[in-house]
């Protein structure tokens, strides 16, 4: 093992345990943010007529918050198989764009790791992983990302199950307030990056404006609006960013 | 039928997630493409926050915006993301009480 390990130039040497621990710490805010939302999803799915098993399995197999809320709503309204699957595809297609960006960042990792990590990409695991992209150049870097994703995944699946079995026990004002959690996390990730490099702030604000116009004025579906505004605003990066800002 | 729908949803979610793993394996990118892909996390963060944050309390969009403002101010102090999350939840909780 030692021979193979020393042949590669890592930007930093670390044990597998350190990488796992750092990933779990980086994933902890997602854990906190997912838990109340997953519980709310579990409650809604149960009310929409899904069994506890189906509610939990959707989280295990799909692992995409917004799409699961939408599907539970559509099932309650008696939507057909194809309608729900197509709507899910549209809403989750943004992960394709995110995955392109993340796979480029971790391109030195073995393909089987990239494949496994790609299955765990959500808005939250993608943004947190990307802002820690330098971990991919460190020894055992893949364990950092795997641990981050698994912490988030566990929270999502466990919270869904909890919501399905406890039902509507949370006070509404509390669960309403929890709805801001992931937005606050995105802001908490964005602001320090803007402080370091103001140009990324221009990209983010451009995306907000384009998204607003597409959703409120053009009336595009939220899934496509996010995909189109992310792609258009990130083109600004070609002019604004320097090479080392990975 | 519900399980079939769930499996269908899983497939159309997984495929767009993993295809880039194979695409990026084959091609090496020109510098401008790298800069584009590196900008995507920041563009995505912007698009994910706004205008969605105004729907936290759908009838009162300003509550979501004020929660976001709290998160922004806390984040300016370079504290851990958790503090921004807790601060925003508290803001919304107090405003909807």
């Amino acid at each position: 093992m030692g021979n193979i390990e020393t042949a590669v130039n890592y930007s930093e040497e670390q044990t597998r345990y350190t990488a796992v621990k750092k990933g779990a710490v980086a994933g902890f805010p997602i854990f906190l943010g997912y838990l109340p939302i997953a519980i709310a999803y579990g409650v809604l799915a149960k009310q929409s007529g899904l069994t506890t098993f189906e509610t939990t399995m959707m989280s295990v197999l799909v692992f995409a918050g917004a799409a699961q809320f939408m599907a539970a709503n559509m099932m309650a309204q008696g939507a057909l198989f194809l309608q729900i699957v197509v709507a899910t595809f549209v809403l989750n297609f943004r992960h394709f764009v995110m995955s392109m960006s993340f796979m480029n960042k971790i391109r030195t990792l073995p393909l089987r790791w990239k494949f496994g990590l790609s299955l765990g990409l959500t808005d939250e695991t993608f943004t947190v992983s990307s802002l820690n992209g330098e971990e991919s150049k460190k020894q055992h870097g893949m364990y950092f990302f795997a641990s981050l994703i698994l912490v988030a995944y566990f929270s999502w699946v466990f919270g869904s199950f909890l919501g399905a079995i406890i039902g509507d026990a949370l006070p509404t004002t509390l669960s309403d307030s929890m709805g801001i959690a992931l937005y606050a996390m995105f802001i908490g990730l964005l602001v320090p990056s803007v402080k370091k490099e103001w140009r990324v702030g221009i990209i983010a604000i451009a995306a907000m404006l384009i998204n607003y116009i597409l959703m409120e004025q053009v009336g595009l579906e939220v899934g496509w609006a996010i995909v189109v505004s992310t792609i258009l605003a990130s083109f600004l990066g070609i002019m604004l960013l320097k090479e080392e800002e990975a | 039928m519900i399980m079939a729908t769930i499996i269908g949803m899983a497939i159309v979610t997984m495929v767009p997630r993993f295809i880039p793993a194979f695409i990026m394996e084959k091609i090496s990118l020109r510098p401008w493409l790298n800069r584009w892909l590196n900008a995507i996390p920041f563009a995505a963060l912007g698009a994910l926050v706004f205008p969605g944050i105004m729907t936290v309390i759908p009838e009162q969009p300003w509550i979501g915006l004020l929660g976001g403002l709290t998160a922004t101010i806390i984040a300016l102090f370079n504290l851990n993301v958790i503090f921004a999350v807790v601060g925003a939840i508290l803001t919304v909780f107090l405003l909807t009480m």
Side-chain angles (χ1 to χ4, degrees):
Chain A
M1 170 174 159
N3 289 336
I4 303 164
E5 295 287 330
T6 46
V8 186
N9 275 321
Y10 296 110
S11 70
E12 192 181 311
E13 290 192 9
Q14 62 182 356
T15 63
R16 197 175 294 179
Y17 173 73
T18 315
V20 168
K21 205 171 70 178
K22 280 199 303 190
V25 170
F28 188 66
I30 310 181
F31 181 96
L32 279 189
Y34 272 0
L35 207 54
I37 295 172
I39 292 174
Y41 154 75
V43 171
L44 175 80
K46 204 62 184 296
Q47 286 167 352
S48 307
L50 277 74
T51 63
T52 301
F53 177 75
E54 289 162 344
T55 301
T56 313
M57 279 314 278
M58 199 198 286
S59 290
V60 168
L61 293 173
V62 181
F63 189 35
Q68 291 181 222
F69 271 97
M70 181 201 63
N73 266 322
M74 289 178 80
M75 284 172 181
Q77 292 159 18
L80 300 171
F81 170 86
L82 198 63
Q83 289 174 311
I84 297 177
V85 172
V86 169
T88 301
F89 175 77
V90 169
L91 194 56
N92 285 343
F93 191 73
R94 63 186 187 281
H95 296 142
F96 178 80
V97 182
M98 295 177 183
S99 186
M100 288 285 281
S101 170
F102 185 55
M103 291 305 135
N104 184 42
K105 201 158 277 183
I106 62 168
R107 61 163 57 242
T108 51
L109 298 185
L111 180 61
R112 63 175 195 284
W113 275 94
K114 283 191 274 196
F115 177 76
L117 294 174
S118 77
L119 296 179
L121 279 186
T122 63
D123 299 337
E124 294 74 21
T125 58
F126 163 70
T127 45
V128 176
S129 297
S130 294
L131 298 183
N132 290 287
E134 75 284 353
E135 293 292 331
S136 68
K137 299 186 185 71
K138 297 179 184 171
Q139 192 180 10
H140 299 306
M142 56 278 240
Y143 289 94
F144 171 90
F145 299 113
S147 151
L148 186 163
I149 286 170
L150 286 175
V151 164
Y153 185 66
F154 174 79
S155 167
W156 184 250
V157 172
F158 177 69
S160 310
F161 173 71
L162 215 58
I165 55 169
I166 65 172
D168 219 346
L170 276 186
T172 340
T173 44
L174 191 63
S175 54
D176 277 356
S177 322
M178 296 290 195
I180 191 97
L182 293 177
Y183 293 111
M185 193 188 82
F186 292 138
I187 293 172
L189 294 170
L190 184 58
V191 169
S193 311
V194 176
K195 270 181 80 178
K196 242 186 285 171
E197 174 54 73
W198 61 272
R199 290 179 176 90
V200 307
I202 298 193
I203 297 167
I205 288 171
M208 292 182 186
L209 294 178
I210 299 170
N211 196 31
Y212 179 78
I213 293 168
L214 292 176
M215 279 171 68
E216 306 290 327
Q217 312 296 322
V218 183
L220 208 60
E221 272 181 282
V222 60
W224 290 127
I226 291 178
V227 169
V228 173
S229 51
T230 299
I231 291 177
L232 289 181
S234 55
F235 277 134
L236 285 175
I238 298 170
M239 293 170 290
L240 289 172
L241 294 187
K242 286 172 245 118
E243 214 50 56
E244 67 273 22
E245 280 155 9
Chain B
M1 195 56 200
I2 290 179
M3 268 324 279
T5 308
I6 291 173
I7 290 166
M9 289 172 67
I11 293 170
V12 298
T13 305
M14 277 164 73
V15 171
R17 276 176 179 161
F18 75 65
I19 284 181
F22 296 96
I23 299 180
M24 301 314 284
E25 188 78 2
K26 294 273 168 270
I27 50 175
S28 63
L29 295 177
R30 298 179 174 282
W32 69 269
L33 265 172
N34 260 318
R35 290 202 296 278
W36 173 51
L37 290 176
N38 287 339
I40 283 177
F42 306 108
L45 281 171
L48 289 168
V49 168
F50 192 81
I53 197 165
M54 296 197 294
T55 62
V56 172
I57 309 290
E59 322 76 71
Q60 289 158 301
W62 54 274
I63 292 186
L65 289 175
L66 284 179
L69 184 67
T70 308
T72 307
I73 293 168
I74 294 173
L76 281 171
F77 290 102
N78 288 350
L79 296 169
N80 188 293
V81 182
I82 291 169
F83 293 100
V85 171
V86 173
I89 291 175
L90 275 178
T91 306
V92 174
F93 183 69
L94 293 175
L95 290 172
T96 49
M97 253 179 26

